[in-house]
Amino acid sequence: MQRRHFLHTMSAAGLGLSAWPAARAATSANGGARVLRFGQSASLTGGQAAYGADVRNGIAAAFAAASAAEASHGLRFELQTLDDGGVRSRCLKNVMALAEGEVVGLVGLTSGAGAEACMPVVEDARIAMLGTASGNMGIRSAQARGAFHVRAGYDIEYRRMVGYIKDFGAQRVGVVTLADTSNANLEAMNQALKLLEIEPRVALTIDRNATSFEPAANELLAGRLDCVLFTANAAPVAAIIDHMSRARFPGLFYASSFAGQDLIDTLTARKQSCVMSMVVPRPTAMAVSIVSQCKRDLALLGNGARMGITTLEGYIAGRTAVEAALAAHKAGGATRARLRDALAGLRSDLGGYRVDFGASNQGSRYVDLIAVDRFGRLVG
């Protein structure tokens, strides 16, 4: 009751939290147009706007294709997206509002820190939180039963990145993480480094919304490092790389998957490079079925949505949501409880990319390490 009262108070205060019309919800409940509706909180404004739009477009493409395929059965998939601007507290408010609404599940949150803050709400509402577009370790504990992941966590990414660093003989390592993210992420990075007996020479936390990242870049330059490892969104990573590259930094840059397609596009425009971990197949690998399907379904949206690694991650989350919702529907109706049950046993090959929740809520451990050269080519 306290949570419901809080949401009513927020709505009355004009915070832009939309609610679905009662008539539409009733139509669905009474067996008319059967709508399988999912909720999303995404960064559609601010420094992560491109990232949020890409994830949303990927999910929307999967839902549009599923709606067309299920039209003869009277089923339609809908996505209700609320903008959080990449701010943790706004993500929490959005998820509280969605949990009070008519959504059967949550899909494609784009803030790992926000998703972590939402876990008490997710468990209280007994709603599935599927396909958060982040490797955040704070939502991968045994206690986070309502979170289902279609991509690898940062722990797996870090081990691959650190192994690559060791192969190149780098010892003087700098680490850059976000100040508002989970301590579990930094612990996972330190553990990966410790396994190879590497101690970070410089470890920085940064504000993702800072107006300048030059102080951080200068501190990294002063460390005379062999390489820098980033776990941050694209804007600060690109800004630091640009400053250090202009200062003729001789080492290598490594970025986690969180930087997304936006970092690739930015570095390509500047003719700069880095090594990057990817948790989905390469978006240029058209021989992989899930990649070609994503490109086809994005084109059908007709909104000019771009193909890239972040869009593909959203598409995989959307496809997984579709499969679980259809399984729940066939089991007697797509309720929140049936959706969670369907996800808990889901094992699916989406076309060159497997999602398997048979053993745990970690559905994939896929990681590919690539180099983005100054021409934007994915090498390695």
Side-chain angles (χ1 to χ4, degrees):
M1 290 299 295
Q2 289 179 338
R3 182 160 57 92
R4 181 173 286 109
H5 173 73
F6 178 53
L7 286 166
H8 290 331
T9 301
M10 287 195 302
S11 181
L15 291 173
L17 302 177
S18 60
W20 288 95
R24 172 174 288 186
T27 300
S28 176
N30 292 330
R34 289 170 290 179
V35 178
L36 302 176
R37 185 176 297 120
F38 285 79
Q40 179 192 28
S41 181
S43 53
L44 302 181
T45 55
Q48 294 172 235
Y51 189 87
D54 284 350
V55 175
R56 181 187 60 176
N57 282 333
I59 298 169
F63 280 14
S67 294
E70 296 295 328
S72 62
H73 297 106
L75 293 176
R76 185 171 75 251
F77 288 83
E78 288 187 359
L79 179 66
Q80 181 185 3
T81 300
L82 301 179
D83 177 25
D84 59 37
V87 178
R88 177 178 180 147
S89 59
R90 288 176 61 186
C91 179
L92 176 58
K93 290 178 181 178
N94 287 349
V95 167
M96 291 179 73
L98 291 166
E100 286 285 333
E102 298 296 327
V103 300
V104 69
L106 303 170
V107 64
L109 273 64
T110 59
S111 168
E116 185 176 359
C118 292
M119 285 312 305
V121 177
V122 169
E123 296 302 337
D124 181 53
R126 299 184 182 278
I127 192 170
M129 185 175 74
L130 169 67
T132 298
S134 169
N136 188 297
M137 296 304 297
I139 55 176
R140 285 173 163 77
S141 68
Q143 289 73 36
R145 294 181 298 275
F148 296 86
H149 308 290
V150 300
R151 49 148 293 158
Y154 287 145
D155 56 341
I156 303 172
E157 287 191 61
Y158 294 156
R159 288 197 293 270
R160 286 292 304 276
M161 291 166 68
V162 170
Y164 193 84
I165 290 168
K166 189 71 171 181
D167 289 344
F168 276 82
Q171 289 293 326
R172 296 171 298 180
V173 176
V175 174
V176 179
T177 58
L178 295 174
D180 63 351
T181 194
S182 174
N183 287 333
N185 294 337
L186 184 57
E187 290 172 9
M189 172 66 82
N190 289 335
Q191 183 61 31
L193 290 166
K194 189 179 296 184
L195 288 173
L196 295 178
E197 300 179 344
I198 297 175
E199 183 75 22
R201 176 169 287 194
V202 179
L204 302 179
T205 57
I206 58 173
D207 177 359
R208 71 179 78 203
N209 298 312
T211 56
S212 173
F213 297 99
E214 286 194 13
N218 287 332
E219 188 170 347
L220 292 166
L221 286 167
R224 299 185 180 277
L225 305 171
D226 297 321
C227 63
V228 182
L229 281 67
F230 295 96
T231 303
N233 53 306
V237 176
I240 292 173
I241 288 177
D242 186 50
H243 184 83
M244 295 181 71
S245 295
R246 287 188 283 107
R248 300 186 182 280
F249 174 66
L252 296 173
F253 301 109
Y254 295 79
S256 74
S257 60
F258 184 31
Q261 187 66 38
D262 199 22
L263 179 63
I264 294 176
D265 295 342
T266 301
L267 295 183
T268 300
R270 295 174 180 170
K271 297 189 181 301
Q272 295 169 345
S273 63
C274 75
V275 178
M276 189 171 181
S277 61
M278 295 172 52
V279 292
V280 296
R282 302 183 190 196
T284 54
M286 290 301 156
V288 179
S289 180
I290 189 69
V291 177
S292 58
Q293 290 170 24
C294 179
K295 185 175 182 180
R296 176 201 65 199
D297 293 341
L298 279 172
L300 294 176
L301 283 181
N303 65 353
R306 61 180 182 173
M307 179 66 179
I309 57 175
T310 313
T311 312
L312 182 57
E313 186 173 340
Y315 183 76
I316 288 169
R319 285 281 302 276
T320 306
V322 166
E323 290 206 11
L326 289 176
H329 179 73
K330 291 176 183 177
T335 64
R336 291 180 178 182
R338 288 197 184 100
L339 181 70
R340 283 179 65 149
D341 288 344
L343 283 167
L346 184 66
R347 293 179 173 178
S348 179
D349 186 340
L350 300 177
Y353 188 93
R354 291 193 60 81
V355 175
D356 187 344
F357 295 122
S360 72
N361 62 358
Q362 181 61 59
S364 174
R365 296 182 176 275
Y366 178 94
V367 175
D368 186 16
L369 206 61
I370 52 94
V372 183
D373 73 8
R374 64 191 186 94
F375 301 106
R377 295 174 300 197
L378 306 184
V379 182

